Amino acid sequence: MRYYPDPAREIDLVRVNRAIEEAFAEHARGRVQMPPKLYVTLERGDFRTMPGYIPSLGIAGVKIVNVHPGNPARHLPTVMALTVILDVETGRPESLLNATDLTDLRTGAAGAVAAKYLSPRRSVRLGLVGAGRQARAQVMAVGKELSIREVLVWSRTRESAERFCGNLPGVPCRSEDLEAVCDCDILITTTPSREPLVRDRWISEGTHINAIGADAPGKQELDPAILQRASVFVDDILQAVHSGEVNVPIARGLYTKEQIAGTLGEVVTGRKGRKSVDEITVFDSTGLAIQDLAIAAIARESAEGIDLPFLSFSHDGSGESPGKVSSHGDVVSGEKKRKKG
Amino acid sequence: MRYYPDPAREIDLVRVNRAIEEAFAEHARGRVQMPPKLYVTLERGDFRTMPGYIPSLGIAGVKIVNVHPGNPARHLPTVMALTVILDVETGRPESLLNATDLTDLRTGAAGAVAAKYLSPRRSVRLGLVGAGRQARAQVMAVGKELSIREVLVWSRTRESAERFCGNLPGVPCRSEDLEAVCDCDILITTTPSREPLVRDRWISEGTHINAIGADAPGKQELDPAILQRASVFVDDILQAVHSGEVNVPIARGLYTKEQIAGTLGEVVTGRKGRKSVDEITVFDSTGLAIQDLAIAAIARESAEGIDLPFLSFSHDGSGESPGKVSSHGDVVSGEKKRKKG
């Protein structure tokens, strides 16, 4: 068994986009297993358990991820994640990945895949509502698929929007008010809002929107009137109805499950898509276990890992004795040594 | 974050029994969170994802466990497991435990708690149907609650039954045929059978049965007529109906969910129980996530662990940089050093 403490550090974002695209395609083809995400509520947050299996990639496992909004005050990220990968042949725990950064990247990649297929323009002005880690991940991933002319950023404080731009190398970027940010080709919303921030009249025809922030019941970022005007594509119908951008409008009778235009996987496989350049399209992302597996498959190929003992002497004949418990973890590069642990 | 490769090695079985007893009591009091176990099917087996939270113990996490019947031919255990414990305050992954042996022990402990409350006798003759790892775990755990006079063992081969007895120190133990084994005070079935092995007429009044083997749809070990005569207690109603000893009889209309006498937690808290010394009682065990959390809470107090880096430099101010990834895991004893990782 091998642990990867920082598997996102050297990862190739183009490869991530392609892997996420393929995971969505397999989802549309009905070739993955993905039971519904389970939520456990803690006093100051929650954690979600996300198992899955992608046979075509030969990868199976579980991501465990928390959401604790008070964590930044403790100098901890709001969201932390760990992915456990099992050997599909034997069920043996094979890899553990710190999936905190990978979670940002796989969500960014889903936005990039949506933008690739649903944006009517290849050279785009990006509007960002929210200026946190996910906003950055979206820009980095979309930049691998489309040419970004400029980035307009709104955040609750102008300081955070300006700091965001300061940390974005090589792309013209400026802080704007909310309405001005919406005057763009691709709008990306990444806030934890529970009330609509983006008004219907601010959105022009032909805009594509990545609605990323809503990932739990009660969350929403867009005026439901936008959904009525748009073709809304989701990552997974059940998850979106439960916790995506459409969850509040559906619960309030302002939108229906039947109005959902399709899944991103159906878009990737060519079964669904944008109908005209004037149409407004929305990608409603909740985050799928198969995205976590797809990025884990890439990450562990190149990242540094620490070998850990797993089987005790009583279970196999390999001579890996419990005494080895007290030896130091063996640090190896993923490329150099691929011994199963 | 700390990894415990062999947390079962030095564990105190009496403490385990008490922790499991308390977990069942909290379950009956409605003070735990435990979403339904999720199954993912692989080509040669499956894996199950079991999240949970026990507020009174301050422990939350997920066990991931596979079942691959062909593994012994590859010199691997059929069942392997890993438990991830999260800090309930922040959701941060705190501990990883190799839960392969712990899974045996926590199931054994559930059987011991059931025997403690449901056996009408304190000095008992044990009958075992099945002579594998779980049979041994049951004997060891029951032996902490009751006085075991002798053990009668049936297995598919006499050799494995005799080997089982040879490895059981300090208790009179002999191999017997199936009918003779059933002439006992407490019968414990631990096979993966899909057809009833234990016939109704072999079971005397006053017998207590731990029906452990059935843990997936289609599995059963007892003639359904035994269930009709007995008071059947389960670990969890939903899980038992789905995958316990009662699952096949219920699916075939030979037993009903309404006939279930109660849960083990209700027995432990005194709300339900054996009604007379002549009654036949059955404990139908499927295995609960809260058992895995309760045993993990004990195990990590005393086991040796390996400290692993989790947060990278970009997420906290502690100076734990990604460069530390390439340093060796720091091995410490659980008692001596309790630094969070």
Side-chain angles (χ1 to χ4, degrees):
Chain A
M1 189 167 70
R2 184 178 291 172
Y3 171 57
Y4 300 89
D6 193 18
R9 192 156 54 136
E10 308 259 341
I11 205 163
D12 177 343
L13 295 183
V14 174
R15 283 193 70 197
V16 173
N17 285 354
R18 292 294 74 73
I20 296 299
E21 183 172 337
E22 181 57 20
F24 278 110
E26 286 293 281
H27 182 250
R29 294 177 195 122
R31 291 191 199 148
V32 303
Q33 282 186 58
M34 192 174 60
K37 202 186 286 198
L38 294 177
Y39 287 70
V40 171
T41 307
L42 304 172
E43 276 66 26
R44 294 178 170 77
D46 66 51
F47 74 91
R48 298 121 196 236
T49 305
M50 304 168 66
Y53 175 33
I54 310 176
S56 63
L57 293 180
I59 194 160
V62 183
K63 186 175 79 166
I64 301 163
V65 57
N66 77 294
V67 179
H68 278 66
N71 273 0
R74 299 171 177 231
H75 306 290
L76 284 174
T78 300
V79 173
M80 293 172 280
L82 188 76
T83 297
V84 178
I85 300 297
L86 305 181
D87 174 29
V88 295
E89 293 293 315
T90 65
R92 180 174 173 163
E94 195 173 63
S95 312
L96 305 168
L97 297 96
N98 180 342
T100 305
D101 292 345
L102 294 181
T103 296
D104 290 341
L105 297 184
R106 62 74 148 152
T107 306
V113 171
K116 171 185 169 184
Y117 283 92
L118 293 172
S119 169
R121 280 169 282 278
R122 300 296 94 187
S123 171
V124 296
R125 172 195 273 185
L126 287 191
L128 303 182
V129 176
R133 294 163 51 119
Q134 183 50 224
R136 182 181 166 84
Q138 291 279 328
V139 174
M140 301 305 286
V142 170
K144 300 298 181 190
E145 303 299 324
L146 304 175
S147 171
I148 300 175
R149 286 199 316 277
E150 62 177 335
V151 178
L152 311 181
V153 188
W154 175 85
S155 181
R156 273 180 303 175
T157 66
R158 184 164 286 270
E159 291 69 36
S160 67
E162 285 169 357
R163 193 167 52 241
F164 181 90
C165 285
N167 291 327
L168 201 67
V171 186
C173 180
R174 68 175 191 273
S175 167
E176 279 288 0
D177 66 28
L178 197 46
E179 181 171 354
V181 158
C182 293
D183 180 19
C184 62
D185 300 305
I186 299 179
L187 183 68
I188 302 178
T189 64
T190 57
T191 75
S193 183
R194 292 179 166 268
E195 296 299 330
L197 294 169
V198 178
R199 297 192 191 166
D200 183 37
R201 63 185 165 80
W202 296 343
I203 301 300
S204 311
E205 290 186 347
T207 305
H208 171 70
I209 304 175
N210 281 344
I212 308 295
D215 65 344
K219 289 188 179 177
Q220 58 176 156
E221 300 179 277
L222 307 181
D223 183 337
I226 299 170
L227 304 181
Q228 290 291 352
R229 278 210 285 160
S231 283
V232 178
F233 299 92
V234 300
D235 49 12
D236 180 82
I237 301 275
L238 284 178
Q239 279 197 193
V241 170
H242 176 260
S243 53
E245 181 62 37
V246 297
N247 91 80
V248 176
I250 286 175
R252 294 186 181 161
L254 301 173
Y255 193 76
T256 67
K257 182 181 162 189
E258 289 67 34
Q259 288 180 270
I260 294 170
T263 66
L264 183 55
E266 291 174 314
V267 172
V268 167
T269 53
R271 302 176 201 175
K272 300 278 176 69
R274 168 179 283 273
K275 297 193 197 80
S276 75
V277 292
D278 294 337
E279 191 177 38
I280 296 167
T281 50
V282 174
F283 170 53
D284 178 0
S285 167
T286 62
L288 306 187
I290 54 168
Q291 293 171 249
D292 297 302
L293 295 175
I295 198 168
I298 293 178
R300 64 180 183 165
E301 283 180 19
S302 57
E304 281 191 335
I306 300 172
D307 272 349
L308 297 170
F310 181 73
L311 290 177
S312 68
F313 191 70
S314 60
H315 301 124
D316 71 0
S318 73
E320 184 183 33
S321 83
K324 280 214 183 157
V325 167
S326 58
S327 72
H328 278 217
D330 184 17
V331 181
V332 293
S333 141
E335 291 296 358
K336 288 177 199 153
K337 193 174 167 190
R338 305 234 32 208
K339 187 179 80 177
K340 283 180 188 173
Chain B
M1 189 167 70
R2 187 178 288 173
Y3 171 57
Y4 300 89
D6 193 18
R9 190 157 56 136
E10 307 259 340
I11 205 162
D12 176 342
L13 295 184
V14 174
R15 284 193 71 197
V16 172
N17 285 354
R18 293 293 74 73
I20 296 299
E21 185 173 336
E22 181 57 19
F24 278 110
E26 287 293 283
H27 182 250
R29 295 178 193 121
R31 292 193 198 145
V32 302
Q33 282 186 59
M34 192 174 62
K37 202 186 287 196
L38 294 178
Y39 288 70
V40 170
T41 307
L42 304 172
E43 275 66 26
R44 294 179 169 76
D46 67 53
F47 74 92
R48 298 122 195 237
T49 305
M50 304 168 67
Y53 175 34
I54 310 177
S56 63
L57 293 180
I59 194 161
V62 183
K63 187 175 80 167
I64 300 162
V65 56
N66 77 295
V67 179
H68 278 67
N71 272 1
R74 298 171 177 231
H75 307 289
L76 283 175
T78 300
V79 173
M80 292 172 281
L82 188 76
T83 296
V84 178
I85 301 297
L86 305 182
D87 174 29
V88 294
E89 293 293 315
T90 65
R92 181 174 172 161
E94 195 173 64
S95 311
L96 305 168
L97 297 96
N98 180 340
T100 305
D101 292 345
L102 294 181
T103 296
D104 290 342
L105 297 183
R106 62 75 147 152
T107 307
V113 171
K116 172 186 170 184
Y117 283 92
L118 294 171
S119 170
R121 280 169 281 278
R122 300 296 94 185
S123 171
V124 296
R125 173 195 272 184
L126 287 190
L128 303 182
V129 176
R133 294 163 50 119
Q134 183 50 223
R136 182 181 167 84
Q138 291 280 326
V139 173
M140 301 306 284
V142 170
K144 301 296 182 190
E145 303 299 323
L146 305 175
S147 171
I148 300 174
R149 286 199 316 277
E150 63 176 336
V151 178
L152 312 180
V153 188
W154 175 85
S155 181
R156 273 179 303 176
T157 67
R158 184 164 285 270
E159 291 68 35
S160 66
E162 286 169 357
R163 192 166 53 239
F164 180 91
C165 286
N167 291 329
L168 201 66
V171 186
C173 180
R174 66 175 190 275
S175 167
E176 279 288 0
D177 66 29
L178 197 46
E179 180 170 354
V181 158
C182 294
D183 180 19
C184 63
D185 300 306
I186 298 178
L187 183 69
I188 302 177
T189 63
T190 57
T191 73
S193 183
R194 293 178 166 267
E195 295 299 330
L197 294 169
V198 178
R199 296 190 192 168
D200 183 38
R201 63 185 165 80
W202 296 343
I203 301 300
S204 309
E205 291 186 345
T207 306
H208 171 70
I209 303 174
N210 281 344
I212 308 295
D215 66 345
K219 289 188 179 178
Q220 59 176 154
E221 300 180 275
L222 308 180
D223 184 335
I226 298 171
L227 304 181
Q228 290 291 353
R229 278 209 287 159
S231 282
V232 178
F233 299 91
V234 300
D235 49 12
D236 180 84
I237 302 273
L238 284 178
Q239 277 196 196
V241 169
H242 176 260
S243 52
E245 181 63 35
V246 298
N247 92 80
V248 176
I250 286 175
R252 292 187 183 160
L254 301 172
Y255 193 74
T256 67
K257 182 182 163 189
E258 290 67 33
Q259 288 179 273
I260 294 171
T263 67
L264 183 56
E266 291 175 315
V267 172
V268 167
T269 53
R271 301 174 201 175
K272 301 278 177 67
R274 168 178 283 276
K275 296 195 197 79
S276 76
V277 291
D278 294 337
E279 191 179 36
I280 296 166
T281 50
V282 174
F283 170 53
D284 177 1
S285 168
T286 61
L288 307 187
I290 55 168
Q291 294 171 249
D292 297 301
L293 294 176
I295 198 167
I298 294 177
R300 65 180 182 163
E301 284 180 18
S302 56
E304 280 190 337
I306 301 172
D307 273 348
L308 297 171
F310 181 72
L311 290 177
S312 69
F313 191 71
S314 60
H315 301 124
D316 71 0
S318 74
E320 184 183 35
S321 81
K324 279 213 180 157
V325 167
S326 57
S327 73
H328 277 216
D330 183 17
V331 181
V332 294
S333 141
E335 292 294 357
K336 288 176 201 153
K337 192 174 168 191
R338 306 237 29 213
K339 187 180 80 176
K340 284 180 186 172

